[in-house]
């Protein structure tokens, strides 16, 4: 039993080790043949059985990223026709490939989900490789029962240099797993699956209908429409009956090929080669693989891994190294240059966008109050609310002529304000007009008093005119990269005390129940958050969030109210163009009138018999956005 080393220790191939150096059948001859390869279920294991006739020396070693077990049979030749594995995962075995690696060496490569313990046994006519597995309920596979594929090139397994460390955990190292050959999708299913890709594609769009058209005519039509050179593989036949409406031509062609079980491969010079998916998979599984280190200049290497992994073959792999901001790409030799060019296309210097915003907020409040109230009473009857009247019971002798002899009685105290004097004889009159109404903090107060017989008439006039104006203008400016969110915030963090009466504490163990108080902070001020995108026509698409907020004391028991004005929008503007993303005008008018019934409703004179209050509040909010594209400086020649 050989214990597989950890993955980190298997980034370089383990040196091959011969199994005792004896032939499989013990006869010592070097004229063996490999007749077939099978994958069989066993108790707690999966077995790969290699049928060998004649003598063979067996060597085995493992590779990582992706996990593979390699069996070399020396002194034999491949007699069995090469059969393509069906792609089913059998107990962790994802793929089995075999070919004449050297004139006297047959190499069998077993692709695994992960490196596990394995055991190689020699027996008469067979080499059995047993790998520990928890899944043993699968159908057996054998190259003898599969239709032979075209002869393949020798299998080559390239050793790998140790990969750079990847920070941030294994989720940042994307690994491309081996795809299985599934039932081809129909044209409509393929287009529905790639609907988002079609919406973003810049390729020319095509509308076409086929009725039992041969695949040769269909491919020729795509070649004529696109102006590309498209080569059709040998022995490719079929007919197409479908209708495509307003789809990118390349996506439409891929949908047709997928429905026919075909695929396209880009050759050097931009030539497109159409072949069967099985042939393409077989070609990719037999050619050598190469590892390249590609340095990323402008983007983050970890952010490019999903995009790069989407175009890799089943044997490809992409790992991000955050230390050097590079991508370690492993791919078949015939496609490595194409993948590297794709990465360079993603790693482009993006333009910067300077965004200037202007937030204008005007808050105007006009208040006009006017009121008249009356007090009528005599010395024997009055309502003691507006005019304080002396209490004759507190009269004391006073020297009024300064001769040293008191000659008059003068009250020294007034009646209490809540005490009213009513004459039961009925020969007096007293009255109040608007006694309970008044202007808060009046700017003008007038008192008029006159005597009418035994009565005193006092008139109070109060007036107030108040204008509050708040004109706030903020002009935040921020610069950011294309497709990167930027945010600027200028304001205050206001502490808010929160009393939780449901969470009670016993104060210091004294048994006193004390509600729990906590403090939270509320952000107020000017906030601008923008995500710009520069289009191919040098227009700017922006997602904008603009907000202005402040805190004011409130009459309610919570203590504060937060006034907020904000706008969220998506806009498309030209470079340097100013756009209005938010405009809001709120006008609130409140009129209050109170006074003596009937008299207060008189035209013009009605204001002499009551109080009128008029309040007008007007709020205007205007948000302007002006973006500018900052072009890169032209580099000097020779750089």
């Amino acid at each position: 039993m050989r214990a597989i080393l950890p993955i980190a220790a298997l980034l370089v191939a383990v040196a091959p080790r011969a199994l005792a150096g004896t032939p499989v059948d013990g006869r010592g001859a070097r004229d063996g043949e490999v007749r077939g390869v099978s994958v069989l279920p066993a108790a707690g294991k999966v077995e790969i059985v290699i049928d060998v006739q004649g003598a063979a020396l067996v060597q085995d070693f493992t590779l990582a990223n992706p996990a593979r077990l390699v069996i070399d049979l020396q002194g034999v030749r491949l007699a069995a026709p090469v059969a393509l594995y069906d792609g089913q995962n059998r107990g962790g075995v994802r793929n089995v490939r075999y070919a004449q690696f050297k004139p006297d060496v047959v190499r069998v490569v077993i692709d695994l989900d992960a490196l596990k313990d394995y055991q190689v046994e020699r027996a008469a006519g067979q080499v059995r490789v047993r790998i520990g597995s928890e899944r043993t309920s699968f159908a057996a596979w054998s190259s003898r029962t599969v239709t032979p594929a075209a002869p393949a090139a020798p299998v080559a397994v390239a050793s790998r240099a140790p990969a750079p460390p990847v920070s941030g955990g294994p989720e940042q190292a994307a690994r491309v797993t081996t795809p299985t050959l599934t039932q081809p999708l129909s044209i409509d299913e393929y287009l529905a699956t790639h609907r988002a890709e079609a919406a973003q594609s810049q390729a020319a769009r095509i509308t076409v209908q086929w009725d039992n058209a041969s695949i040769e005519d269909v491919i020729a039509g795509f070649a004529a429409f696109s102006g590309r050179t498209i080569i059709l593989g040998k022995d490719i036949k079929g007919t197409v009956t479908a209708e495509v409406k307003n789809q990118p031509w390349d996506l439409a062609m891929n949908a047709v090929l997928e429905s026919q079980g075909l695929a396209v491969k880009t050759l050097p010079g931009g030539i497109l080669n159409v072949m069967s998916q099985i042939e393409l998979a077989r070609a990719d599984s037999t050619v050598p693989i190469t590892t390249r280190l590609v340095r990323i200049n402008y983007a983050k290497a970890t952010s490019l891994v999903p995009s790069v992994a989407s175009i890799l073959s089943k044997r490809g792999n992409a790992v991000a190294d955050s230390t050097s901001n590079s991508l370690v790409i492993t791919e078949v030799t015939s496609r490595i240059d194409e993948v590297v060019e794709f990465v360079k296309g993603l790693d482009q210097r993006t333009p910067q966008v300077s965004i200037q915003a202007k937030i204008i907020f005007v808050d105007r409040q006009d208040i006009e109050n006017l009121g008249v109230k009356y007090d009528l009473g005599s010395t024997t009857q009055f309502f003691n609310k507006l005019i304080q009247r002396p209490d004759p019971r507190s009269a004391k002798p006073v020297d009024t002529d300064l001769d040293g002899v008191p000659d008059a009685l003068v009250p020294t105290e007034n009646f209490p304000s809540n005490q009213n004097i009513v004459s039961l004889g009925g020969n007096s009159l007293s009255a109040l007009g608007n006694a309970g109404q008044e202007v808060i903090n009046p700017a003008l107060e007038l008192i008029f008093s006159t005597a009418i017989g035994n009565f005193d008439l006092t008139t109070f006039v109060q007036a107030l005119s108040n204008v509050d104006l708040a004109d706030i203008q903020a002009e935040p400016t921020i610069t950011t990269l294309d497709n990167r969110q930027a945010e600027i915030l200028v304001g205050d963090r206001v502490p808010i005390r929160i009393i939780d009466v449901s969470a009670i504490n016993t104060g210091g163990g004294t048994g006193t129940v004390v509600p729990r108080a906590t403090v939270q902070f509320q952000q107020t001020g000017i906030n601008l958050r923008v995500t710009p995108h520069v289009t191919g026509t040098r227009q700017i698409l922006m997602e904008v969030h603009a907000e202005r907020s402040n805190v004011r004391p409130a009459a309610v028991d919570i203590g504060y109210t937060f006034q907020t004005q904000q706008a969220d929008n998506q806009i498309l503007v030209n470079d340097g163009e100013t756009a209005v993303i938010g405009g809001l005008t709120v006008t609130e008018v409140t009129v209050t009138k109170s006074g003596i019934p009937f008299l207060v409703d008189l035209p013009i004179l009605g204001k002499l018999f009551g109080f009128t209050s008029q309040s007008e509040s007007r709020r205007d909010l205007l948000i302007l956005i002006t973006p500018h594209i900052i072009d890169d400086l032209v580099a000097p020649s020779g750089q």
Side-chain angles (χ1 to χ4, degrees):
M1 178 72 69
R2 292 179 176 84
I4 299 301
L5 297 176
I7 292 178
L10 288 171
L11 296 176
V12 180
V14 180
R17 299 167 293 161
L19 294 180
T22 58
V24 174
D25 58 359
R27 296 179 297 178
R30 292 288 184 102
D31 56 353
E33 292 181 349
V34 173
R35 297 293 183 89
V37 180
S38 303
V39 181
L40 307 175
K45 297 181 182 298
V46 56
E47 288 189 348
I48 295 88
V49 179
I50 306 172
D51 293 331
V52 182
Q53 182 170 355
L57 292 177
V58 182
Q59 290 182 322
D60 65 275
F61 59 93
T62 58
L63 293 172
N65 294 331
R68 286 160 292 166
L69 173 60
V70 181
I71 307 295
D72 278 349
L73 302 161
Q74 300 181 2
V76 298
R77 62 185 179 86
L78 184 60
V82 176
L84 185 67
Y85 189 69
D86 61 2
Q88 182 180 347
N89 191 325
R90 291 176 168 84
V93 175
R94 300 186 306 169
N95 195 16
V96 176
R97 298 173 278 125
Y98 57 93
Q100 193 77 45
F101 180 59
K102 293 181 180 180
D104 61 342
V105 177
V106 172
R107 172 164 288 182
V108 180
V109 180
I110 306 167
D111 293 342
L112 304 171
D113 277 342
L115 295 177
K116 301 178 181 179
D117 293 342
Y118 70 94
Q119 182 180 11
V120 180
E121 293 182 355
R122 298 162 296 174
Q126 289 183 343
V127 173
R128 288 182 173 267
V129 181
R130 292 181 177 145
I131 304 173
S133 174
E134 299 176 356
R135 297 172 296 170
T136 57
S137 58
F138 54 82
W141 176 88
S142 176
S143 62
R144 301 178 184 273
T145 61
V146 179
T147 302
V155 177
V157 181
S159 62
R160 300 190 178 196
V166 178
S167 63
E171 66 277 3
Q172 296 186 3
R175 177 173 299 171
V176 181
T177 58
T178 301
T180 59
L181 298 178
T182 58
Q183 185 70 21
L185 298 176
S186 67
I187 294 179
D188 292 339
E189 291 173 341
Y190 186 91
L191 293 177
T193 304
H194 296 76
R195 185 179 295 109
E197 181 182 346
Q200 300 177 0
S201 176
Q202 300 297 322
R205 294 183 173 267
I206 186 174
T207 299
V208 64
Q209 183 176 359
W210 301 285
D211 185 10
N212 288 327
S214 66
I215 190 65
E216 295 90 343
D217 293 339
V218 173
I219 297 302
F222 280 114
F225 180 84
S226 63
R228 302 285 294 273
T229 300
I230 305 178
I231 301 175
L232 197 62
K234 184 180 179 181
D235 298 332
I236 293 181
K237 303 294 182 181
T239 59
V240 179
T241 299
E243 182 179 4
V244 174
K245 293 183 179 180
N246 194 30
Q247 295 291 336
W249 75 268
D250 53 352
L251 194 65
M253 185 180 72
N254 289 336
V256 172
L257 298 180
E258 171 68 22
S259 67
Q260 299 291 318
L262 304 176
V264 63
K265 181 177 182 181
T266 304
L267 302 178
I271 299 175
L272 302 180
N273 184 18
V274 177
M275 62 180 67
S276 68
Q277 294 179 355
I278 296 178
E279 180 67 18
L280 181 60
R282 184 198 63 78
D284 285 343
S285 66
T286 57
V287 298
I289 58 175
T290 304
T291 299
R292 293 270 187 93
L293 179 67
V294 182
R295 294 191 178 274
I296 307 302
N297 296 318
Y298 304 109
K300 288 186 178 181
T302 53
S303 66
L304 299 183
V305 168
S307 299
V308 176
S310 65
I311 68 167
L312 294 175
S313 66
K314 64 180 182 180
R315 299 175 62 196
N317 188 28
V319 178
D321 175 31
S322 59
T323 304
S324 61
N325 198 39
S326 302
L327 282 179
V328 181
I329 301 175
T330 300
E331 182 58 296
V332 294
T333 305
S334 61
R335 298 191 68 246
I336 188 67
D337 292 334
E338 178 185 346
V339 176
V340 172
E341 288 300 320
F342 177 77
V343 173
K344 292 180 179 179
L346 294 176
D347 185 30
Q348 296 293 327
R349 184 169 184 173
T350 58
Q352 298 186 85
V353 180
S354 176
I355 302 170
Q356 181 179 7
K358 192 169 185 178
I359 303 175
I360 303 174
F361 177 72
V362 179
D363 189 352
R364 179 185 178 94
Q365 188 173 21
D366 296 339
I367 299 176
E368 293 184 0
N369 291 334
L370 177 64
V372 181
K373 52 186 177 180
Y374 302 93
D375 181 280
L376 178 66
S378 66
T379 57
T380 59
Q381 181 166 291
F382 54 84
F383 293 107
N384 195 30
K385 291 184 178 181
L386 301 181
I387 301 297
Q388 292 295 317
R389 289 175 170 80
D391 186 356
R393 294 172 299 181
S394 63
K396 294 183 180 181
V398 176
D399 182 10
T400 59
D401 55 4
L402 303 179
D403 60 356
V405 178
D407 53 9
L409 293 175
V410 177
T412 58
E413 297 180 1
N414 294 327
F415 283 106
S417 60
N418 60 353
Q419 183 175 357
N420 303 318
I421 302 300
V422 179
S423 176
L424 297 179
N427 57 354
S428 296
L429 176 67
S430 63
L432 288 175
N434 290 330
Q437 185 69 38
E438 64 180 19
V439 176
I440 305 300
N441 298 322
L444 175 64
E445 289 185 306
L446 296 177
I447 300 178
F448 175 76
S449 179
T450 184
I452 303 175
N454 292 329
F455 297 94
D456 293 329
L457 175 64
T458 305
T459 304
F460 295 84
V461 178
Q462 293 179 327
L464 173 66
S465 179
N466 183 42
V467 177
D468 292 333
L469 177 63
D471 187 352
I472 301 174
Q473 296 189 20
E475 298 186 15
T477 302
I478 195 168
T479 302
T480 183
L481 289 173
D482 186 24
N483 294 317
R484 298 293 180 87
Q485 185 185 89
E487 182 176 9
I488 186 171
L489 174 63
V490 179
D492 302 317
R493 292 174 59 86
V494 181
I496 304 297
R497 178 179 296 174
I498 298 176
I499 307 298
D500 187 1
V501 296
S502 63
I504 57 176
N505 296 325
T506 55
T510 61
T512 304
V513 177
V514 180
R516 179 178 300 172
T518 58
V519 176
Q520 293 184 359
F521 289 88
Q522 179 73 28
Q523 185 74 54
T524 62
I526 304 297
N527 180 224
L528 174 64
R529 186 166 60 246
V530 184
T531 303
H533 169 63
V534 179
T535 66
T537 58
R538 291 185 63 83
Q539 290 181 305
I540 304 172
L541 177 65
M542 295 183 295
E543 294 184 3
V544 183
H545 169 82
E547 177 182 332
R548 182 264 176 188
S549 60
N550 68 328
V551 59
R552 285 190 177 183
V556 295
D557 57 353
I558 58 176
Y560 298 97
T561 60
F562 293 90
Q563 294 183 339
T564 303
Q565 301 85 34
Q566 72 177 41
D568 293 274
N569 201 0
Q570 277 192 341
I571 54 176
L572 179 66
V573 297
N574 296 323
D575 183 15
E577 181 182 359
T578 299
V580 180
I581 68 168
L584 175 65
T585 298
V586 179
T587 302
E588 181 179 353
V589 178
T590 303
V591 178
T592 303
K593 182 172 64 174
S594 63
I596 301 174
F598 304 111
L599 297 179
V600 73
D601 296 326
L602 293 175
I604 302 177
L605 299 178
K607 292 185 178 181
L608 299 177
F609 301 98
F611 277 77
T612 59
S613 174
Q614 181 172 339
S615 175
E616 180 177 350
S617 178
R618 181 185 179 93
R619 294 180 180 179
D620 297 311
L621 175 65
L622 189 64
I623 301 175
L624 309 175
I625 295 290
T626 305
H628 295 277
I629 300 176
I630 302 177
D631 293 314
D632 299 333
L633 297 177
V634 179
S637 59
Q639 296 187 0

